[in-house]
Amino acid sequence: MRGQEILNNPARNKETAFTMTERQSLGLEGLLPPTVENIDRQLERVQTQLAAKPNDLERYIYLMSLAARNETLFYHTLMSDPARFVPIVYDPTVADACLAYGHIYRGSAGMYLTRDMKGRFKKILRNWPVKDVRFICVSTGGRILGLGDIGANGMGIPIGKLQLYTACAGVPPEALLPVLLDIGTTNAALRADPLYLGLRELPPDEAEVDLISEAFIEAATDVFPGVCIHFEDWKGTDAMRLLARYRDKVLCYNDDIQGTAAIAVAGLTTALQIKNETFADQRVLFLGAGSAGIGIASMIVSAMVEAGLGEAEARERIVLIDVNGLIETSRTDLNEWQKPFAHEAKPTKDLLEVVRTFKPTILIGVSTIGGAFTEEVVREMAKLNERPVIFPLSNPTNKAECTAEQAYTWTKGKALYAAGVQFPDFEYQGKSYHPGQANNFYIFPAIGLAVYATRPARITDDMFITAAAATADQVGPSAREHGMLFPLQANILETEVTTATRVAEHIFDSGQATVERPENIRAWIEGLLYKPVYKEL
């Protein structure tokens, strides 16, 4: 590889950081300005250009263009200040980027497989230039964040998720492949948009989705032996059905179900430590009963059982409400995952009424209904509990069930609060509060790093529970004083390596690893980390 070919390769391109010797030996003389810079000087230029952008969507576009031309500088930028840059390349900015994906498209950063390619998936996957792919993040775009079905516009999610594997946990980027499995979209506005890049067809029925998924998983595991399939943002019923079907057959997980559950349990663990209570003491009310809600509820059941309750008793302490009302036994429209949480109760859609009758200690929102936690509801929670736990987890920002300012104000500073997006610090009666962000990026990159290192045959819920406990253990006493339920994002790599080490220890202890156990697991994992530094060519 020489000359312009190197400059066109993001994994090898250093731009102005090529030395004079490299320029002469690689045919780069005259193709670059004469000044030789180091990566930190290049970072200054990136920061200057980002500062000149009018909004975060424009910053997102710039950073994606940077990733497409200079991968090392892109990750050096993200890892230099993750608290600043993760919200730009991922949530909440990625929501705006997905909505506009066809309009801001600059070039491919993954693979697009359509339903009509079903019989040729293996041949097409072999077009990917890297042969040792260790993770595939695959989405149909069927349920992106709180945006619903946006079809091929959802490709921003697999791209962003895998970038966080590297930026937050140091998983080497060459091992990662984003895939958009395009089965069509129910979004009529997108199908009518001349700049939409996906299939302009309605999705097929459930049986056909299953056949397409089976063909994809068979092809992916054949072309990339040992690959981990990360399911992301599939329609809720598809997500739960496919995870149940494949979790014991191939190396896979669903971040919307298991990752969301783990980060919620991590935050709840910290909150209960602050309250000096256990999961066995809690009563949990969910607004939202899709894949995220059921996933969190199921993991809370596991936590309650670990705390001493029986499984049936634990389920009695969890109530869910969906768009059609309370999940109760007279409902005939419940899916198989909701039915275990159905209780004998009067039908209602009134959240405040359920709060008053059920008397929850914890209120969790996964409804994507912005403002659903009204002042009356939040004040009732504060009336029932000395320290109410309030987790409005829907995103993007305008989908949050209540803001941090509202929760702290309406509870007079008593709430233990975390949202799915990062709200700014808030001061109430002279005390400053740092609201938590229950974002999966604390969990799934660490799971990815542990799996990358240990190569287990399967991913289990126990790994996610271990990751949740490890995350909670990293929130110190002074942070808890300010209402923080999660570690600082500024130290995200250190946090994720610590969590990955705990998960790797669990994988070795449970006999699930397929590599030899090292003497010092943390040092071994640190030796595998990707570092965004230029290599000599």
Side-chain angles (χ1 to χ4, degrees):
M1 193 176 290
R2 290 175 52 81
Q4 194 64 49
E5 191 178 3
I6 290 177
L7 299 181
N8 290 338
N9 185 309
R12 305 194 71 183
N13 186 18
K14 306 186 202 178
E15 299 181 304
T16 57
F18 284 107
T19 66
M20 287 301 182
T21 301
E22 288 173 328
R23 295 178 191 208
Q24 290 169 6
S25 64
L26 298 172
L28 295 171
E29 288 185 294
L31 300 181
L32 294 164
T35 299
V36 176
E37 299 178 311
N38 62 30
I39 198 166
D40 290 321
R41 179 68 70 196
Q42 292 177 319
L43 176 59
E44 285 182 40
R45 184 175 294 106
V46 170
Q47 291 172 327
T48 299
Q49 295 189 33
L50 286 171
K53 301 296 181 185
N55 54 54
D56 278 349
L57 180 58
E58 289 297 325
R59 294 181 186 97
Y60 172 93
I61 293 169
Y62 173 84
L63 287 171
M64 293 305 107
S65 296
L66 177 62
R69 73 171 195 270
N70 186 336
E71 181 179 87
T72 307
L73 181 55
F74 170 76
Y75 283 113
H76 183 71
T77 300
L78 265 57
M79 296 169 86
S80 72
D81 191 352
R84 177 187 174 194
F85 292 115
V86 167
I88 296 175
V89 299
Y90 201 66
D91 198 24
T93 310
V94 74
D96 294 329
C98 286
L99 288 173
Y101 190 78
H103 293 249
I104 64 174
Y105 179 79
R106 296 292 194 278
S108 176
M111 296 199 77
Y112 298 79
L113 303 180
T114 58
R115 57 204 267 192
D116 58 298
M117 297 175 183
K118 183 177 68 174
R120 300 183 296 121
F121 281 161
K122 288 183 186 180
K123 179 180 179 181
I124 292 166
L125 284 172
R126 290 191 177 100
N127 289 336
W128 189 248
V130 178
K131 303 310 173 190
D132 185 21
V133 170
R134 301 282 295 279
F135 294 91
I136 292 175
C137 183
V138 59
S139 180
T140 59
R143 197 231 62 180
I144 297 293
L145 302 173
L147 306 174
D149 182 355
I150 58 172
N153 276 19
M155 182 52 148
I157 299 296
I159 292 169
K161 285 280 185 179
L162 292 180
Q163 287 171 342
L164 296 193
Y165 273 62
T166 302
C168 296
V171 179
E174 64 268 19
L176 311 174
L177 171 57
V179 171
L180 192 287
L181 190 58
D182 193 344
I183 61 172
T185 178
T186 58
N187 192 316
L190 283 178
R191 296 198 308 270
D193 182 351
L195 294 181
Y196 177 61
L197 293 168
L199 293 180
R200 299 172 191 275
E201 304 171 10
L202 288 168
D205 61 23
E206 187 176 288
E208 181 64 19
V209 169
D210 288 355
L211 289 174
I212 295 167
S213 302
E214 175 68 23
F216 167 73
I217 289 169
E218 181 185 344
T221 53
D222 182 69
V223 175
F224 306 113
V227 72
C228 175
I229 306 294
H230 168 162
F231 293 107
E232 185 65 38
D233 284 350
W234 291 55
K235 188 177 73 176
T237 50
D238 291 344
M240 291 185 284
R241 186 179 70 257
L242 293 174
L243 177 62
R245 178 171 300 160
Y246 291 109
R247 62 187 304 161
D248 296 325
K249 294 180 180 178
V250 300
L251 185 65
C252 71
Y253 73 99
N254 186 301
D255 183 53
D256 304 302
I257 299 172
Q258 294 159 292
T260 300
I263 193 58
V265 168
L268 293 174
T269 299
T270 311
L272 297 182
Q273 289 168 350
I274 292 171
K275 296 176 69 174
N276 196 28
E277 296 177 2
T278 73
F279 276 97
D281 303 317
Q282 308 311 306
R283 297 171 65 81
V284 188
L285 173 58
F286 285 83
L287 185 64
S291 58
I294 296 296
I296 299 169
S298 298
M299 198 166 286
I300 290 174
V301 168
S302 297
M304 287 178 168
V305 169
E306 191 173 312
L309 297 181
E311 186 169 325
E313 188 180 6
R315 291 186 187 279
E316 284 296 320
R317 292 172 173 265
I318 297 173
V319 165
L320 300 98
I321 301 172
D322 70 2
V323 66
N324 294 319
L326 186 65
I327 302 297
E328 42 81 18
T329 51
S330 74
R331 293 266 301 267
T332 59
D333 60 337
L334 302 181
N335 62 48
E336 62 183 286
W337 300 279
Q338 294 171 327
K339 286 177 182 176
F341 292 97
H343 305 305
E344 293 282 349
K346 182 181 73 172
T348 182
K349 292 185 177 182
D350 189 333
L351 176 61
L352 180 60
E353 178 186 348
V354 177
V355 170
R356 285 173 174 161
T357 56
F358 180 62
K359 296 180 170 41
T361 58
I362 296 169
L363 179 62
I364 297 176
V366 280
S367 67
T368 71
I369 302 172
F373 292 172
T374 62
E375 182 172 355
E376 270 190 304
V377 166
V378 174
R379 287 193 184 278
E380 188 67 21
M381 285 292 296
K383 182 179 173 183
L384 292 168
N385 303 280
E386 177 61 30
R387 299 297 305 275
V389 180
I390 299 174
F391 278 25
L393 301 182
S394 296
N395 54 54
T397 306
N398 67 342
K399 303 289 186 179
E401 285 82 4
C402 72
T403 67
E405 179 179 349
Q406 288 169 336
Y408 292 130
T409 302
W410 294 339
T411 64
K412 299 181 179 178
K414 296 194 298 180
L416 292 166
Y417 176 94
V421 295
Q422 184 63 64
F423 283 102
D425 289 359
F426 179 69
E427 187 167 313
Y428 181 79
Q429 294 186 347
K431 182 175 179 179
S432 98
Y433 296 86
H434 184 85
Q437 184 184 11
N439 194 303
N440 299 12
F441 67 65
Y442 283 107
I443 299 291
F444 71 81
I447 292 285
L449 178 57
V451 169
Y452 178 81
T454 62
R455 292 180 176 254
R458 301 289 181 267
I459 294 176
T460 65
D461 280 349
D462 286 348
M463 297 177 193
F464 284 92
I465 292 170
T466 300
T471 302
D473 288 348
Q474 295 179 72
V475 185
S478 62
R480 296 178 185 200
E481 276 293 307
H482 294 280
M484 289 178 61
L485 305 180
F486 303 97
L488 286 171
Q489 294 179 18
N491 302 322
I492 193 68
L493 181 60
E494 174 73 16
T495 299
E496 302 266 3
V497 171
T498 299
T499 299
T501 301
R502 286 267 292 273
V503 175
E505 287 171 349
H506 169 79
I507 292 170
F508 281 115
D509 290 346
S510 58
Q512 298 175 81
T514 61
V515 300
E516 187 176 343
R517 183 172 188 148
E519 280 190 30
N520 186 322
I521 292 176
R522 186 183 182 101
W524 171 65
I525 285 178
E526 287 176 342
L528 299 175
L529 298 179
Y530 168 81
K531 297 176 178 61
V533 295
Y534 292 132
K535 299 176 179 64
E536 268 192 51
L537 297 183

